[in-house]
Amino acid sequence: MDGSAVIGFPISLCTVQGNILQSFFECQLRGLRHSCKWLTDLLWSLNLPIISNPDSVFSSSNVYQSIPPDKLTTFLLARSCFDTQEYDHCAEILSHNFEKPIHDNPKHFIDKYGHVYYFLYIYSRYMACEKRRANDSVESRLVLKQDEETKSSCISMAKCNKELLSIKCEIEPYTNNINLSNEIRTVNKIGDSFLLYVHSLICLRLGIKETAASLLVQAINLNFYLWPAWYELVDLIENKEKMNCLNLPTDDECWMRYFFEAKVFLKLHEGERALEILLKLSESGFSRSHNLQAEIGLAYNELRAMELAKKQFKQHGLSVSTKNSVALLGADPFGFISE
């Protein structure tokens, strides 16, 4: 803001590229579409050539090796159902012909079928519940009177919460025993981090926020580059003291924390702190990121620097006259959009 030169963070872009690629394929495998979009925006912003290596862990074909060969076709069919929002069907396919209920021993199930398979089974059931909740809400508004709608909504909420509690009880015996030691991060730890993440989503929907925050922090400490966990954690931070109390990784390699902190400061209306981090990230090699540049515009807006904000949006093709920009920014700071 004062015109002084901005010095970027000491980040190795080649290392970042590897981190993003692995995280992208892990998220893509599990159907976490929004995180994939955010990651690819960053990947594109780096503007680095990707060195092809058939043995690389960043190869999409190698990521699929985490699925047992005899279950791969079943998994792919289930994933196709997940992609078309047939969440109940997805879970049914994954659970077909099991010798005994999965919830009897999740560790045994994971040992036999793998982390990814189990994650999709849990996540698809969570998403099925969310879809039913949303559909019931829309249907109630369309066909019921106000009093009837309220009653129907409460019944629907209770039913969904009962389903979520059941899923929570299933996954807890496993996540409660995850080892959080500081050993070298293995494939199992990456898999465990995603299970902690989906457990946190269930707790969030049930309103158990403290537990959700704890699970997200555990997930991040196992997997520094688990962006969906960082993203969900932002909404749970109510003040700087809360953020400072969290046992988040501070290692130099944990570059995602900068993006997380910028989002937190924007949420807390501390535009100057957010802008400082965002400008440093821009100078660190992420200047082409649409999401980053949009947040810089929001930071200027938070500081009431309206001309700079408008210039920022226009300079980076973030036209405030289109609904696509509103979707990207998650806000309409200038009130230019009307329904």
Side-chain angles (χ1 to χ4, degrees):
M1 290 293 291
D2 60 4
S4 58
V6 177
I7 300 175
F9 294 110
I11 296 174
S12 166
L13 296 184
C14 289
T15 300
V16 167
Q17 183 192 63
N19 300 150
I20 293 174
L21 280 168
Q22 180 168 11
S23 184
F24 170 81
F25 287 127
E26 294 287 355
C27 288
Q28 185 186 56
L29 191 62
R30 292 166 173 84
L32 301 173
R33 297 183 293 269
H34 293 291
S35 291
C36 286
K37 183 179 178 182
W38 186 86
L39 289 164
T40 49
D41 173 70
L42 276 193
L43 186 64
W44 177 82
S45 74
L46 297 179
N47 199 26
L48 294 175
I50 296 177
I51 300 174
S52 177
N53 180 354
D55 297 324
S56 171
V57 294
F58 313 133
S59 165
S60 59
S61 60
N62 284 341
V63 172
Y64 276 95
Q65 289 180 5
S66 58
I67 311 295
D70 61 328
K71 295 298 177 185
L72 183 57
T73 54
T74 301
F75 177 83
L76 293 176
L77 175 60
R79 257 306 309 272
S80 297
C81 291
F82 184 92
D83 289 342
T84 54
Q85 298 185 16
E86 300 173 61
Y87 303 122
D88 281 318
H89 192 193
C90 173
E92 182 184 356
I93 291 169
L94 291 171
S95 64
H96 189 58
N97 289 331
F98 287 142
E99 300 85 354
K100 58 189 299 187
I102 296 171
H103 55 75
D104 284 0
N105 193 336
K107 185 179 185 306
H108 173 73
F109 177 84
I110 291 169
D111 289 342
K112 186 172 182 179
Y113 297 101
H115 284 79
V116 177
Y117 205 98
Y118 186 64
F119 174 91
L120 190 62
Y121 174 68
I122 295 292
Y123 189 47
S124 59
R125 291 165 65 201
Y126 164 79
M127 290 298 293
C129 186
E130 290 298 283
K131 184 179 179 181
R132 276 192 290 277
R133 187 200 303 268
N135 289 345
D136 289 347
S137 176
V138 172
E139 185 176 340
S140 296
R141 287 199 300 270
L142 290 175
V143 302
L144 298 177
K145 297 178 182 178
Q146 186 172 359
D147 291 344
E148 293 173 333
E149 179 186 340
T150 302
K151 183 178 179 181
S152 175
S153 177
C154 291
I155 293 172
S156 176
M157 180 77 71
K159 183 179 179 182
C160 285
N161 285 348
K162 184 177 180 180
E163 290 181 52
L164 290 174
L165 278 169
S166 176
I167 302 171
K168 177 176 175 288
C169 290
E170 289 181 32
I171 195 173
E172 269 181 338
Y174 183 83
T175 54
N176 286 347
N177 289 300
I178 288 177
N179 184 0
L180 298 177
S181 63
N182 292 322
E183 301 167 3
I184 296 175
R185 287 166 180 77
T186 63
V187 173
N188 282 349
K189 288 195 173 184
I190 290 176
D192 285 346
S193 71
F194 279 96
L195 293 179
L196 288 164
Y197 163 70
V198 73
H199 187 178
S200 75
L201 293 182
I202 295 165
C203 290
L204 276 173
R205 180 51 74 182
L206 290 170
I208 315 172
K209 293 186 177 182
E210 287 300 319
T211 300
S214 175
L215 289 165
L216 290 169
V217 170
Q218 291 177 60
I220 289 167
N221 275 288
L222 281 179
N223 181 1
F224 292 170
Y225 313 111
L226 185 59
W227 177 248
W230 287 106
Y231 183 83
E232 292 294 341
L233 191 57
V234 171
D235 282 340
L236 294 175
I237 296 179
E238 300 166 353
N239 50 58
K240 287 188 294 184
E241 290 71 24
K242 172 74 172 178
M243 181 171 67
N244 293 334
C245 288
L246 296 175
N247 184 29
L248 291 168
T250 56
D251 310 50
D252 291 340
E253 62 191 275
C254 188
W255 53 268
M256 251 184 209
R257 178 162 182 162
Y258 301 131
F259 288 91
F260 163 77
E261 290 179 347
K263 280 189 174 293
V264 170
F265 286 128
L266 275 177
K267 179 196 171 188
L268 299 179
H269 305 292
E270 296 202 22
E272 190 168 351
R273 294 289 302 278
L275 184 61
E276 179 185 357
I277 295 171
L278 292 166
L279 291 177
K280 281 189 174 184
L281 284 168
S282 185
E283 288 298 315
S284 300
F286 302 103
S287 61
R288 299 204 314 162
S289 166
H290 291 90
N291 292 327
L292 178 67
Q293 296 303 333
E295 289 188 338
I296 289 175
L298 290 177
Y300 281 133
N301 175 68
E302 187 66 38
L303 293 169
R304 300 295 183 264
M306 299 305 188
E307 290 304 316
L308 285 174
K310 290 179 183 178
K311 181 180 178 181
Q312 177 73 11
F313 293 137
K314 291 179 181 179
Q315 181 179 347
H316 294 279
L318 304 171
S319 171
V320 292
S321 62
T322 66
K323 291 190 178 183
N324 286 338
S325 300
V326 178
L328 174 64
L329 302 176
D332 179 23
F334 303 107
F336 289 168
I337 306 298
S338 59
E339 293 297 334

